[in-house]
Amino acid sequence: MNLPNALTLSRIFLVPPLVGVLLTTTPPAREFWGLIVFATAATTDYFDGYLARKRSQITTLGQLLDPVADKLLISAAFISLVQLGIAPAWMVIIIVGREFVVTGLRSVASVRGITIPALRLGKYKMVAQVACAGCLILANRFPDTYIFLAGQILLWIVVFLALLSMVQYFRRYWGPIQRHVTTSQDN
């Protein structure tokens, strides 16, 4: 266990408190503590990768856990926002669904010995998701402000980036996966 992996695990462990704060605490503590927990968890996403590269501590465990931690955090935040009535369910279904589809693609590729790294567009999507969720958590407290408007605009951007990045992953990696299957069957 190294520091980058500990940070990734801490992001996973912060998911239940995030959901608990968002769904059981009353305003204004809900938004204050929700944003604190969410921002803390999201910050670990930056630092775990940064420290792993800087310290040459990139591990298989970290490579497996980091995307899982990201998906748990983002899914929990957005599903909680649906429950609070801040985010439309259909948009969150697209966002969370994309996460499962790309994870499935990665799993299929992994079984065939193909590693799918995070693409730049996927990283932009993650940044947009964090900004969006943060705005929407605050927007629950300040619904008639620019924070709400910014959160809604970011939500549309996140849906667009989710769909676009999913298509990019499939366009880039489905062919190599299929070729690998064909080559394996020929042998």
Side-chain angles (χ1 to χ4, degrees):
M1 179 61 66
N2 58 33
L3 181 57
N5 289 346
L7 288 171
T8 301
L9 283 174
S10 73
R11 186 160 66 256
I12 293 170
F13 293 139
L14 285 170
V15 169
L18 173 67
V19 173
V21 166
L22 289 176
L23 298 183
T24 64
T25 311
T26 57
R30 170 185 18 225
E31 293 79 19
F32 175 76
W33 289 111
L35 188 60
I36 295 292
V37 173
F38 180 76
T40 301
T43 302
T44 67
D45 185 34
Y46 170 77
F47 283 109
D48 64 2
Y50 172 78
L51 291 172
R53 287 184 298 276
K54 185 170 177 69
R55 295 176 167 196
S56 297
Q57 293 180 328
I58 297 171
T59 65
T60 302
L61 177 65
Q63 289 176 324
L64 293 172
L65 280 183
D66 184 65
V68 170
D70 293 347
K71 285 160 185 37
L72 286 172
L73 176 64
I74 292 303
S75 296
F78 279 110
I79 291 169
S80 296
L81 291 167
V82 168
Q83 178 64 29
L84 292 171
I86 300 168
W90 72 268
M91 294 177 101
V92 172
I93 289 168
I94 290 171
I95 294 165
V96 173
R98 178 264 183 214
E99 299 302 332
F100 283 105
V101 168
V102 171
T103 298
L105 179 69
R106 280 193 165 117
S107 296
V108 170
S110 177
V111 167
R112 287 161 175 70
I114 299 169
T115 302
I116 298 179
L119 299 178
R120 183 168 289 168
L121 188 58
K123 291 180 181 187
Y124 293 153
K125 177 203 54 82
M126 182 63 180
V127 170
Q129 286 175 329
V130 168
C132 177
C135 282
L136 291 176
I137 290 169
L138 276 180
N140 192 51
R141 178 74 177 127
F142 306 105
D144 298 325
T145 65
Y146 287 113
I147 296 169
F148 179 79
L149 179 61
Q152 294 301 310
I153 291 168
L154 282 167
L155 191 54
W156 281 98
I157 291 169
V158 167
V159 167
F160 175 75
L161 290 175
L163 292 171
L164 189 62
S165 67
M166 181 179 67
V167 168
Q168 184 183 35
Y169 275 102
F170 272 87
R171 288 187 73 189
R172 186 168 294 177
Y173 293 105
W174 189 249
I177 291 169
Q178 291 293 62
R179 282 191 294 280
H180 187 273
V181 170
T182 304
T183 305
S184 297
Q185 291 174 349
D186 291 342
N187 292 333

